Amino acid sequence: MKNLIRIAAGALLAGMFAFGSANAATFDFVELADAGAAPNYGEIGGNPLSFLSGSIGLDATATKDGLSAFAYLDKSGVPATHEAPAGMGVCGALTGAGQCNPGSDDNVTTGEILKLTFSEAVFTADWGFNGPGHGNNFSAGDVLELSIDGGPFMAMALDVVGFTNFDGLTGTTFELKWAGTDFYIAKISAVPLPPAVLLFGAALAGLGWLGRRRRKIA
């Protein structure tokens, strides 16, 4: 049974990657924040901020201390060269021009949650984050908390090279919560989960349950 589950899991992952190679969507929030003309470039807040890459849509919303806030694209220190990059954070209040007020309140900080809602279920990869000083400057022990599709929040390390611990997550809604470390999300890539793969995943879960039941009976 274990070998069957391993084979099925491998086939499931292969199906995801094969389907995703032609349907990948990339959301580069640093690039988006640095686009456009001075002085604001692409820096803007909204509730939601909405994006489209290929066939996949993404809405970014936010809360601060349990109240509605704004997802916010914060430009780099030097937008032309992406030096000192930021990305997407959270802002509690905006000016009439959509700029954060105060300007320092633009990352994900105390009491804030940034929520990413995709237009369909996705398989994620190539996550990127930047710290409060703009740039990937995290230290050992720095974490954020992540909830997928309304599930429990789990601690995710931010000091992993390439943030590979975030790769391979599947779902529709991802909530990123401050847990002692200020951060921006710099980028995320996603591929849609085809219906056949979703059904196969359900079947795989059923095989795991059946294996556990057989062990109990034995």
Side-chain angles (χ1 to χ4, degrees), residues 103-142:
S104 58
D105 178 32
D106 54 22
N107 50 28
V108 183
T109 189
T110 310
E112 296 180 339
I113 299 175
L114 178 61
K115 184 176 182 179
L116 306 178
T117 303
F118 291 91
S119 56
E120 57 188 294
V122 296
F123 177 91
T124 68
D126 196 27
W127 292 71
F129 297 91
N130 286 315
H134 287 215
N136 180 3
N137 52 358
F138 298 106
S139 302
D142 288 346

Side-chain angles (χ1 to χ4, degrees), residues 144-172:
L144 60 77
E145 291 187 358
L146 174 68
S147 168
I148 302 174
D149 292 338
F153 280 95
M154 51 188 174
M156 301 290 288
L158 287 167
D159 61 330
V160 176
V161 175
F163 306 104
T164 54
N165 54 321
F166 286 82
D167 293 347
L169 301 174
T170 60
T172 303

Side-chain angles (χ1 to χ4, degrees), residues 84-111:
M88 186 187 297
V90 173
C91 182
L94 301 177
T95 68
Q99 301 297 291
C100 194
N101 183 25
S104 58
D105 178 32
D106 54 22
N107 50 28
V108 183
T109 189
T110 310

Side-chain angles (χ1 to χ4, degrees), residues 5-42:
I5 292 175
R6 289 194 190 100
I7 293 169
L12 175 62
L13 290 173
M16 288 180 187
F17 285 115
F19 183 83
S21 61
N23 297 274
T26 297
F27 300 90
D28 188 329
F29 303 118
V30 173
E31 185 74 34
L32 290 165
D34 291 347
N40 295 329
Y41 296 89

Side-chain angles (χ1 to χ4, degrees), residues 23-28 50-58 118-120 188-190 192:
N23 297 274
T26 297
F27 300 90
D28 188 329
S50 298
F51 310 93
L52 180 66
S53 178
S55 64
I56 298 179
L58 172 63
F118 291 91
S119 56
E120 57 188 294
I188 183 174
S189 294

